[in-house]
Amino acid sequence: MSSFPSSSDRDKQWGVGPGRSFQQYEPSSFAEDLATRAPHNVTPGLSHHDWSDPSGKRSIDRIIQSEDYERSHGKVESLSDSQALSNDSGNEDDPEEKHRESKRPRMAISCSECRRRKIKCDRNIPCMACVRRGMPGSCRWENAKVEPSPQPFALKTQVDDLQRQLESLQETLKTLPAEVVKAVTMAQQPSNSNTSPSKQGIEHQDPREAFPRDTQISKGGVSSNGNNHTSSRLSANALNATSSATRSNAPPPKGLSAFYDDAAENAAVVLESIAFNPQTNEADAGNDSMISHEYWRGNMLTPISGAALAGSAKDDPPKLRHQLEQQNQEYTSALTSIVAPPWDITLDRFNPVLMQQGGSEPDTPQHLMRHKLDAMHSIFENLPSLSQSYYLAEQYKNIIHWRSRILQ
Amino acid sequence: MSSFPSSSDRDKQWGVGPGRSFQQYEPSSFAEDLATRAPHNVTPGLSHHDWSDPSGKRSIDRIIQSEDYERSHGKVESLSDSQALSNDSGNEDDPEEKHRESKRPRMAISCSECRRRKIKCDRNIPCMACVRRGMPGSCRWENAKVEPSPQPFALKTQVDDLQRQLESLQETLKTLPAEVVKAVTMAQQPSNSNTSPSKQGIEHQDPREAFPRDTQISKGGVSSNGNNHTSSRLSANALNATSSATRSNAPPPKGLSAFYDDAAENAAVVLESIAFNPQTNEADAGNDSMISHEYWRGNMLTPISGAALAGSAKDDPPKLRHQLEQQNQEYTSALTSIVAPPWDITLDRFNPVLMQQGGSEPDTPQHLMRHKLDAMHSIFENLPSLSQSYYLAEQYKNIIHWRSRILQ
DNA sequence: GCGCATTTATCGCTATGTGG
DNA sequence: CCACATAGCGATAAATGCGC
Ligand SMILES: [Zn+2]
Ligand SMILES: [Zn+2]
Ligand SMILES: [Zn+2]
Ligand SMILES: [Zn+2]
């Protein structure tokens, strides 16, 4: 750490380029460097010159990348994120901070993944790079800091901390009424604490067993994988299995019915608040941070755009190409099966295809209405999760907004 | 160590290229290196060439990025220096040791078993290789590799796992009635260990990296690393299941307590307004950056790629095969329904699926409203997690924003 | 079980873009 | 024109997994 051999820097002559010579690694650049990499969050521009402390640079940057860092460091905070996106409002800036520093001089356009990997991004949404890599779903665009590459290690303290929390929570849970506890644990399956990777798990043997399959899968979505969280909601569902047959199993826990109702209410409230006061929720949401953000981050599905596909195919081996095509086809069809099916868009009007089978009746307006509603039902039925509904709504909103801008 | 090919690597100076000369790995890095790595430690010092930062360090730094860091950030460096490398002190010399660390750490994606045997791994969690071998239980993804660093570090997988458990529990808790939750959190909340940290710490990186492809899919309950805490979500499935899989026009849900209806109605109105009257919300929309988007980062489900499926099926018993296919189908459709944009981008204009229905409907009879509400109920019943919805919404908002930029 | 040819990922450093 | 950021090349470390 001692200061770096500054003088030496200069020596490094490496062929200077024609034109201007970059001496990038000068002191200042150092700071820059940090800023850049660290990006994780920091990004926002603040100049972190401050801590330019030369020493340890490298490691430090990496380290710093945590958001908290910035937070604590000064400002940044969500602002950057939100801001970036929100753009519209634009008005109220942070009153307080005022730092003249421009936050983000240059907006990013490459997808996050490409930025992280420092590779070329074709700027499509599932960009080719991501598609080729087999994870079109991880192709996102966030106008924000770049995250550092994943690392296999973590701080032990983290582990300890988590462990502690977990225990604490579990402990607390014990104090709850029996029924509740039961429901909860049931839902959440004994989290064996074990941190250690001791195997356990699924036993082996019958391969079929290995695949948990059952259940959740079809879940309308989301939840899915191991994450439970989603799921949990032990409530409502059980209660009104309204929607048709259930997949069997899991009989609703009984004594909780009273709670369920409440849960439903809560859900409604939540939805409402999200819809109307996103920022308000911010707080809540924020705090629930219990969840790991990691969850959904990476494998979202996304249909590959035709262009991207075509492009990639160009020089890829036929095998890969075929694979991509097939993959895409799957995505697309799946997508269609749910979103599109009930509608016959070509009619340019609401026309629930599915419903039709039900017996085509005359075209009475009345009936049309009826169809409409039924179709809507179909949709809603396929929007099992709040995420979905919220997403659709949001999406729609965005589209409108976007369009108005484009068409200007 | 010895295995390391290379120390000599360094020699390979690859001649400087014509055109621009990169001397990348040399001089300049020096300074930098020195600052950073060297200090750190350990590294033995190999002649500069070797600066190979030995490794540990490198990766370690990365690791550290956790929040905890910042906390201490005040001095991060110290940490890094001493801590991380602490080991070094003293023995830093052995060339051997140090070597084991790599300059460019990469996360593994094949399961441990496959890696060990050097055979192909389909990257699913019980990977086919393991399944076929009859020991799906032994299929784990431990990023084993080097786990050298003594003290302060731990495998990230551990952290992930813990985190997951914690989240799961908390999520579940959230579904409980407010009062209960309050009691619980209160009891344990004492801001124990800054909770916040956890969230972030882990965040970057995620599994997706690890399993580029669709992997987790079958995971169902298995947490990624082997632990089996099954995922909970006891009931949700039931409900949701129906939807995607079945497209039957199930009759509208009904029969909840009156009060539920009220709540739902409110929510329904909200949702409706969002969907049908986007502009109203527009303002809000912008700000979104709500919640820690980080939340869901990471474990989204992804359908099994056709290729993978095909491959596995190849020599598997038909029964299993069928199961897999079905499972996949369900996953695909479910997930797609969430992610799939309701518009048809290729048309360069949208096909507002939702819009239509909403838009018109001026004279909605009373009973129509009723249906709508019923539909809303369906949604609420499946309300999964706030985090998810936020994440998704955010995600898409980003996309829209991005598009608007690209399109100018 | 494993040598080793391939494929893939990481990252120093340069080229560019952009707001001020 | 400059300071500061992003884009992304291309060398090269590492992981994968064929084939014996
Ligand atoms: Zn990209
Ligand atoms: Zn991408
Ligand atoms: Zn495997
Ligand atoms: Zn395996």
Side-chain angles (χ1 to χ4, degrees):
Chain A
M1 53 196 58
S2 40
S3 49
F4 43 105
S6 52
S7 54
S8 55
D9 278 313
R10 325 239 83 284
D11 314 326
K12 56 207 39 207
Q13 295 274 107
W14 33 321
V16 174
R20 95 260 245 65
S21 55
F22 286 14
Q23 310 134 260
Q24 13 195 161
Y25 285 6
E26 294 259 51
S28 64
S29 45
F30 258 112
E32 181 186 26
D33 211 353
L34 294 177
T36 322
R37 308 181 155 152
H40 187 22
N41 341 264
V42 175
T43 310
L46 328 166
S47 46
H48 309 291
H49 299 312
D50 12 35
W51 57 294
S52 48
D53 168 13
S55 56
K57 244 141 242 31
R58 239 347 182 58
S59 46
I60 294 182
D61 353 343
R62 250 68 162 265
I63 300 169
I64 304 201
Q65 348 199 326
S66 72
E67 319 181 327
D68 299 284
Y69 174 78
E70 41 178 62
R71 203 155 329 151
S72 62
H73 214 36
K75 62 236 324 38
V76 181
E77 74 228 353
S78 50
L79 211 145
S80 57
D81 287 17
S82 45
Q83 291 289 32
L85 303 179
S86 57
N87 59 27
D88 340 353
S89 54
N91 53 345
E92 79 288 306
D93 335 331
D94 24 1
E96 24 150 353
E97 222 39 2
K98 186 316 155 15
H99 46 12
R100 57 215 77 283
E101 312 276 26
S102 59
K103 283 211 161 214
R104 218 173 218 313
R106 191 178 164 193
M107 279 177 103
I109 43 182
S110 291
C111 78
S112 305
E113 206 56 17
C114 290
R115 252 183 303 163
R116 186 171 70 68
R117 308 180 113 103
K118 300 212 223 171
I119 56 175
K120 185 163 180 39
C121 179
D122 65 15
R123 282 126 194 235
N124 264 312
I125 266 299
C127 74
M128 254 241 294
C130 292
V131 170
R132 295 200 46 172
R133 206 175 318 113
M135 315 182 47
S138 69
C139 186
R140 309 202 156 51
W141 177 74
E142 297 161 48
N143 189 17
K145 62 284 183 123
V146 178
E147 298 180 11
S149 318
Q151 296 297 314
F153 302 104
L155 281 179
K156 188 125 102 290
T157 53
Q158 257 179 45
V159 177
D160 294 338
D161 200 53
L162 281 174
Q163 182 110 47
R164 204 172 315 130
Q165 282 184 279
L166 221 190
E167 282 169 22
S168 170
L169 230 191
Q170 292 180 314
E171 196 61 39
T172 314
L173 255 186
K174 291 194 188 138
T175 67
L176 295 176
E179 305 127 83
V180 178
V181 175
K182 190 183 303 172
V184 175
T185 48
M186 215 172 211
Q188 131 127 27
Q189 196 45 298
S191 47
N192 40 27
S193 42
N194 81 36
T195 339
S196 58
S198 42
K199 80 178 344 11
Q200 95 265 16
I202 323 167
E203 278 339 34
H204 21 59
Q205 333 222 130
D206 183 341
R208 261 153 291 143
E209 265 322 18
F211 293 80
R213 106 227 150 304
D214 61 332
T215 75
Q216 24 244 83
I217 301 210
S218 42
K219 252 209 98 262
V222 190
S223 41
S224 48
N225 56 302
N227 344 306
N228 0 317
H229 42 341
T230 343
S231 36
S232 342
R233 162 193 346 24
L234 27 119
S235 46
N237 313 336
L239 240 196
N240 30 5
T242 54
S243 55
S244 55
T246 328
R247 239 212 204 149
S248 75
N249 49 3
K254 271 5 144 322
L256 294 173
S257 46
F259 288 140
Y260 289 158
D261 283 337
D262 281 50
E265 184 177 60
N266 287 337
V269 173
V270 171
L271 212 201
E272 188 174 39
S273 66
I274 293 176
F276 291 139
N277 312 298
Q279 38 235 256
T280 311
N281 291 328
E282 202 154 307
D284 306 338
N287 83 30
D288 350 330
S289 55
M290 16 175 88
I291 316 242
S292 76
H293 338 199
E294 321 248 1
Y295 276 17
W296 296 81
R297 212 290 171 6
N299 296 315
M300 242 165 159
L301 268 197
T302 314
I304 300 167
S305 76
L309 240 186
S312 73
K314 199 171 318 187
D315 30 37
D316 287 333
K319 190 169 179 178
L320 172 57
R321 173 177 185 164
H322 180 274
Q323 197 178 304
L324 287 176
E325 290 179 340
Q326 170 155 17
Q327 194 178 62
N328 190 45
Q329 198 185 331
E330 288 176 14
Y331 287 155
T332 305
S333 65
L335 194 173
T336 306
S337 73
I338 290 196
V339 180
W343 310 89
D344 184 335
I345 297 174
T346 63
L347 292 182
D348 187 31
R349 66 170 170 164
F350 211 69
N351 191 333
V353 178
L354 267 181
M355 282 20 261
Q356 295 198 335
Q357 67 171 126
S360 45
E361 299 121 77
D363 265 16
T364 340
Q366 190 70 323
H367 286 181
L368 285 180
M369 234 6 174
R370 181 60 233 165
H371 280 282
K372 225 178 191 174
L373 289 175
D374 288 338
M376 213 160 122
H377 272 278
S378 296
I379 290 181
F380 288 137
E381 266 176 38
N382 285 302
L383 295 180
S385 71
L386 188 164
S387 339
Q388 284 184 35
S389 48
Y390 183 52
Y391 158 66
L392 285 171
E394 187 73 17
Q395 175 83 299
Y396 176 72
K397 182 165 44 176
N398 282 332
I399 293 172
I400 297 297
H401 187 190
W402 178 60
R403 271 214 121 202
S404 68
R405 292 199 357 151
I406 298 289
L407 299 180
Q408 238 341 282
Chain B
M1 36 228 86
S2 41
S3 54
F4 249 27
S6 5
S7 32
S8 44
D9 287 357
R10 322 234 83 287
D11 319 308
K12 54 189 62 194
Q13 282 283 90
W14 33 321
V16 175
R20 86 265 245 74
S21 55
F22 288 11
Q23 300 136 273
Q24 13 193 158
Y25 288 34
E26 291 281 22
S28 61
S29 37
F30 252 22
E32 184 189 25
D33 281 331
L34 293 174
T36 333
R37 315 170 149 158
H40 293 356
N41 59 92
V42 178
T43 331
L46 323 169
S47 44
H48 51 47
H49 296 339
D50 4 23
W51 52 297
S52 46
D53 152 359
S55 49
K57 228 148 254 24
R58 252 314 191 74
S59 44
I60 294 182
D61 318 351
R62 253 75 160 260
I63 303 167
I64 310 209
Q65 348 191 331
S66 73
E67 340 181 314
D68 300 293
Y69 253 67
E70 47 174 68
R71 207 162 326 164
S72 54
H73 82 302
K75 243 13 207 314
V76 180
E77 37 196 358
S78 56
L79 208 160
S80 58
D81 286 57
S82 37
Q83 295 277 31
L85 327 195
S86 49
N87 45 10
D88 27 357
S89 50
N91 59 7
E92 44 198 82
D93 311 352
D94 347 56
E96 319 277 90
E97 298 279 77
K98 50 179 60 328
H99 269 274
R100 53 147 145 254
E101 283 297 352
S102 55
K103 276 193 252 213
R104 282 174 186 163
R106 276 177 68 176
M107 283 182 92
I109 49 182
S110 291
C111 78
S112 306
E113 205 55 16
C114 292
R115 210 155 0 133
R116 192 169 64 70
R117 316 178 106 112
K118 293 196 183 180
I119 56 174
K120 185 162 180 56
C121 179
D122 64 17
R123 284 135 193 220
N124 265 315
I125 268 300
C127 73
M128 286 319 287
C130 292
V131 171
R132 216 164 313 160
R133 204 181 320 115
M135 308 179 56
S138 69
C139 185
R140 243 190 301 301
W141 176 63
E142 295 162 27
N143 200 330
K145 186 180 183 174
V146 211
E147 47 36 21
S149 9
Q151 293 92 24
F153 305 99
L155 285 180
K156 187 148 169 252
T157 50
Q158 262 179 48
V159 177
D160 288 339
D161 200 54
L162 271 177
Q163 177 111 34
R164 213 164 298 131
Q165 287 185 295
L166 222 192
E167 290 164 15
S168 168
L169 227 193
Q170 294 181 312
E171 254 310 303
T172 307
L173 264 183
K174 276 207 283 198
T175 66
L176 294 177
E179 313 93 67
V180 178
V181 174
K182 192 183 301 174
V184 175
T185 50
M186 217 162 215
Q188 85 137 175
Q189 191 54 270
S191 56
N192 51 14
S193 57
N194 59 47
T195 39
S196 49
S198 40
K199 80 164 47 21
Q200 180 143 0
I202 314 174
E203 77 187 6
H204 353 282
Q205 134 169 5
D206 40 352
R208 73 177 137 171
E209 268 312 328
F211 297 90
R213 211 157 294 262
D214 334 304
T215 61
Q216 25 238 99
I217 303 213
S218 49
K219 273 173 86 188
V222 187
S223 67
S224 57
N225 351 315
N227 292 336
N228 56 347
H229 54 302
T230 350
S231 54
S232 28
R233 154 180 2 26
L234 41 111
S235 43
N237 316 332
L239 232 197
N240 303 327
T242 56
S243 49
S244 54
T246 337
R247 180 134 290 112
S248 62
N249 359 347
K254 53 203 15 90
L256 276 182
S257 62
F259 122 66
Y260 178 83
D261 280 334
D262 284 280
E265 185 174 69
N266 288 334
V269 173
V270 173
L271 212 202
E272 189 175 39
S273 70
I274 295 176
F276 304 150
N277 305 302
Q279 37 280 194
T280 313
N281 297 318
E282 207 155 65
D284 307 336
N287 87 14
D288 62 330
S289 88
M290 33 215 189
I291 321 267
S292 45
H293 344 217
E294 321 256 9
Y295 273 17
W296 298 84
R297 233 177 228 229
N299 293 314
M300 221 138 170
L301 271 195
T302 312
I304 300 168
S305 74
L309 239 186
S312 71
K314 203 168 321 186
D315 27 38
D316 287 332
K319 190 168 182 180
L320 172 57
R321 172 176 185 163
H322 180 273
Q323 197 177 304
L324 286 175
E325 290 178 340
Q326 169 155 17
Q327 185 182 65
N328 188 45
Q329 198 185 333
E330 288 177 18
Y331 268 130
T332 304
S333 60
L335 289 175
T336 306
S337 68
I338 299 178
V339 182
W343 48 347
D344 184 335
I345 298 173
T346 63
L347 292 181
D348 185 28
R349 62 172 171 166
F350 47 46
N351 284 319
V353 180
L354 267 180
M355 184 182 186
Q356 298 200 334
Q357 66 187 56
S360 43
E361 224 180 88
D363 42 53
T364 320
Q366 195 70 346
H367 76 284
L368 283 181
M369 203 45 178
R370 179 63 230 170
H371 282 286
K372 261 186 185 168
L373 289 176
D374 286 338
M376 293 300 163
H377 278 240
S378 298
I379 293 177
F380 296 140
E381 285 164 26
N382 291 292
L383 292 179
S385 89
L386 179 61
S387 325
Q388 275 182 39
S389 40
Y390 272 121
Y391 173 77
L392 287 169
E394 173 106 6
Q395 200 56 253
Y396 278 88
K397 196 167 293 183
N398 280 338
I399 292 175
I400 298 297
H401 186 193
W402 176 74
R403 277 185 177 273
S404 71
R405 275 189 50 78
I406 296 292
L407 298 181
Q408 270 299 358

